[in-house]
């Protein structure tokens, strides 16, 4: 076969009937003007990546800080007329279980508001909450856009009568106290008590009988301090 005497200026449109066995060394005279795929896919492929990343690109959220383990929290009697009024304030580690009452700085429908208080108090949040840790108490109050009450708010009866029968029991307060470090840090100033620091960071002040004991005359009275405590024989007390 001899070559065409007058070759065309451009290749023919139909494909060659006898394609060459190897690619040509010269470029195509009319390359395509646009990519083959006109539109990208609307959704990612359903086949997962063969080599996924070993960790997520977005780090996990930072966990909320734990309650203040370096401190004890004060747990406070629910009412100045409650059965716990003779010893209204005790210290508690944050992992102990105590009742929860919450305070709000903003008015809340159905919550208790006392004339002497600047806060609204409630016990049904939304139900009664007993034997909760301090971290749980914080979360319960925060879920109702409130907070754990302070020691002074509880002592001022700001949550008294708010329900759950908690007036005779102690509740978490946000007020903290440092843990004791040794027996000397537990000294209560009384000559007839043995003062010791426990491994839980709490002080124990036990009457040792070097003098006399004085006791509150009735569980209905508002005695200051413990119902029974040591006393020096030279002190004056009622008979």
């Amino acid at each position: 076969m001899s070559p065409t005497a007058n070759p065309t200026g451009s290749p023919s449109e139909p494909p060659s009937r006898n394609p060459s066995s190897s690619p040509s060394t010269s470029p195509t005279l009319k390359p395509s003007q646009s990519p083959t795929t006109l539109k990208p896919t609307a959704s990612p492929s359903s086949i997962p990546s063969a080599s996924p990343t070993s960790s997520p690109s977005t780090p996990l959220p930072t966990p909320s800080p734990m309650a203040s383990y370096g401190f004890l929290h004060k747990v406070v009697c629910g009412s100045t007329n409650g059965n716990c009024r003779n010893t209204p304030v005790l210290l508690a580690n944050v992992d102990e279980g105590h009742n929860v009452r919450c305070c709000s700085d903003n008015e809340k429908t159905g919550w208790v508001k006392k004339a002497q208080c600047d806060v609204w108090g409630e016990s049904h949040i939304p139900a009664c909450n007993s034997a909760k840790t301090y971290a749980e108490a914080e979360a319960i109050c925060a879920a109702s856009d409130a907070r754990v009450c302070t020691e002074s708010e509880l002592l001022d009866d700001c949550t008294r009568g708010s329900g759950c029968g908690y007036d005779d029991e102690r509740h978490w307060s946000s007020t903290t106290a440092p843990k004791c470090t040794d027996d000397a840090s537990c000294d209560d100033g009384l000559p007839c008590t043995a003062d010791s620091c426990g491994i839980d960071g709490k002080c124990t002040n036990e009457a040792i009988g070097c003098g006399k004991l004085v006791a509150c005359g009735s569980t209905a009275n508002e005695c200051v301090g413990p119902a029974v405590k040591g006393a020096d024989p030279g002190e004056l007390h009622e008979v």
Side-chain angles (χ1 to χ4, degrees):
M1 181 183 294
S2 59
T4 304
N6 297 307
T8 59
S10 59
S12 60
E13 294 298 334
S16 172
R17 293 183 179 180
N18 298 307
S20 60
S21 59
S22 60
S24 62
T25 58
S26 58
T28 303
L29 296 179
K30 291 185 178 182
S32 60
Q33 299 298 315
S34 59
T36 306
T37 303
L38 297 180
K39 295 182 180 181
T41 55
S43 60
S45 63
S46 58
I47 302 174
S49 172
S51 300
T53 56
S54 58
S55 60
S57 57
T58 303
L60 297 174
T62 304
S64 58
M66 295 298 290
S68 47
Y69 281 114
F71 292 86
L72 299 169
H73 276 262
K74 294 185 178 183
V75 288
V76 184
C77 189
S79 167
T80 53
N81 196 42
N83 292 340
C84 46
R85 65 185 178 279
N86 289 335
T87 311
V89 181
L90 295 178
L91 296 176
N93 278 293
V94 294
D95 56 356
E96 294 180 22
H98 292 282
N99 298 332
V100 180
R101 280 179 165 175
C102 300
C103 288
S104 173
D105 298 306
N106 301 310
E107 181 177 358
K108 286 186 174 294
T109 302
W111 286 40
V112 170
K113 173 64 170 69
K114 304 293 185 180
Q116 73 274 18
C117 301
D118 295 326
V119 297
W120 285 256
E122 185 54 63
S123 299
H124 298 91
I125 319 160
C128 299
N129 295 279
S130 63
K132 301 298 184 182
T133 65
Y134 185 74
E136 289 173 327
E138 281 190 320
I140 289 167
C141 293
S144 292
D145 194 25
R147 56 176 173 77
V148 178
C149 305
T150 65
E151 175 191 15
S152 61
E153 289 166 344
L154 293 169
L155 289 175
D156 285 343
D157 282 343
C158 294
T159 60
R160 178 177 175 177
S162 60
C164 295
Y166 288 167
D167 284 0
D168 293 322
E169 301 176 20
R170 294 182 184 86
H171 317 85
W172 283 113
S173 83
S174 60
T175 305
T176 59
K179 292 184 176 182
C180 62
T181 54
D182 51 33
D183 292 349
S185 65
C186 294
D187 186 4
D188 60 3
L190 298 175
C192 296
T193 57
D195 308 313
S196 60
C197 178
I199 59 174
D200 58 358
K202 296 181 186 179
C203 291
T204 299
N205 308 107
E206 183 179 0
I208 57 177
C210 64
K212 301 293 182 180
L213 296 176
V214 291
C216 187
S218 169
T219 56
N221 292 337
E222 295 183 4
C223 299
V224 177
V228 178
K229 65 180 181 179
D232 187 270
E235 296 179 10
L236 299 177
H237 293 280
E238 296 176 347
V239 177

